[in-house]
Amino acid sequence: MSKLYLIPAPLGENEPSEVIPQYVLDTACSLKRFVVEELRTARRFLSRYGLKGHIDELDFTELNEHTSAEEVEAMAALFDGGDVGLITEAGLPAVADPGATLVALCHRKGIEVVPLVGPSSLMLALMASGLNGQSFAFRGYLPAKTDERRAAVKSIEKASASMKQTQIFIETPYRNDSLMADLVSILNGSTRLCVAADITLPSQTIRTLRVDEWKKRPLTIGKRPCVFLILA
């Protein structure tokens, strides 16, 4: 029976062996058919995983936010030819990632799903935050419009306070500093805020402070991949 392998990708320009076990790299290199979020990125990942010089021998199908439900359904035919690998842009497939629709298809079709070990920016940020790791929620991306984003921040802080729960969210890198400014201006001074940027990279920054302390120690994040966590 064919399988879907969920293949992690580095969170940045790491050497793959720094963050991904060798058996995962070996598994990726054994496959010939892949579903990927972005073709160029996936080809680069696989070249670094050990398939340099053999990329043109592989079969790629793209699955991203523009892929229709009908196109996903048609991907069931990919498994007639053997095992398939799913690769996201960074981190773990199907987590904050459109690849979840392919995983759901496999469950409906009785195709075995095999998750492989790799870096999760969300879990690494939670581990390093010092916030509540017993109860937490991932909120995904906050709204892009300023008023809606600020309202969402207030709502998330209220939920965190009522449930004593860590709230985790992310932002498009070019809006990181706008979100950070909103967090510092809107959140209660006693709320703890963790900023975790460039996780696993040499430029990694992970810092947790009370919001009133952040006001005294401002941080420019820039266009780096970043995870935000709060605990009210």
Side-chain angles (χ1 to χ4, degrees):
M1 178 182 292
S2 296
K3 300 177 182 179
L4 175 66
Y5 287 95
L6 308 185
I7 302 170
L11 300 177
E13 294 301 314
N14 314 66
E15 280 301 313
S17 60
E18 294 178 0
V19 290
I20 297 176
Q22 187 61 47
Y23 82 90
V24 175
L25 302 179
D26 293 342
T27 299
C29 290
S30 73
L31 301 172
K32 297 296 183 183
R33 186 168 294 181
F34 296 89
V35 175
V36 303
E37 187 174 357
E38 205 280 325
L39 181 58
R40 183 176 62 178
T41 304
R43 290 171 65 96
R44 186 172 73 249
F45 282 154
L46 290 170
S47 180
R48 294 168 62 204
Y49 282 13
L51 286 171
K52 186 174 183 180
H54 299 278
I55 301 299
D56 291 338
E57 303 168 12
L58 306 177
D59 179 30
F60 293 97
T61 300
E62 285 192 301
L63 169 57
N64 52 46
E65 68 271 19
H66 304 297
T67 305
S68 69
E70 292 76 16
E71 289 171 320
V72 173
E73 199 69 23
M75 291 179 191
L78 296 174
F79 295 89
D80 294 340
D83 297 335
V84 177
L86 174 64
I87 303 178
T88 187
E89 281 291 275
L92 303 182
V95 178
D97 171 66
T101 58
L102 180 62
V103 176
L105 171 70
C106 288
H107 285 295
R108 292 197 303 272
K109 300 293 185 180
I111 297 166
E112 183 178 355
V113 177
V114 183
L116 299 176
V117 174
S120 165
S121 60
L122 305 177
M123 292 299 97
L124 291 170
L126 180 61
M127 288 166 58
S129 69
L131 305 183
N132 189 355
Q134 295 284 349
S135 178
F136 53 90
F138 175 52
R139 299 292 187 136
Y141 290 94
L142 299 190
K145 293 183 178 178
T146 302
D147 290 345
E148 294 177 4
R149 183 174 67 239
R150 290 174 177 172
V153 168
K154 292 178 181 177
S155 175
I156 289 171
E157 183 181 39
K158 184 177 180 180
S160 177
S162 66
M163 294 184 284
K164 306 301 181 185
Q165 183 181 69
T166 300
Q167 305 289 307
I168 307 170
F169 44 97
I170 53 179
E171 182 54 282
T172 302
Y174 70 85
R175 285 199 291 263
N176 280 336
D177 290 313
S178 295
L179 174 58
M180 185 66 179
D182 283 345
L183 295 174
V184 171
S185 65
I186 293 170
L187 294 173
N188 188 287
S190 62
T191 292
R192 285 189 286 166
L193 166 64
C194 177
V195 176
D198 275 352
I199 295 175
T200 75
L201 300 175
S203 54
Q204 174 176 282
T205 301
I206 303 175
R207 186 187 304 170
T208 300
L209 297 170
R210 289 162 47 108
V211 169
D212 54 11
E213 294 173 312
W214 276 115
K215 291 178 180 178
K216 302 172 187 176
R217 300 171 60 182
L219 172 69
T220 299
I221 304 167
K223 298 178 181 179
R224 297 188 287 165
C226 188
V227 180
F228 299 87
L229 308 91
I230 67 167
L231 181 61

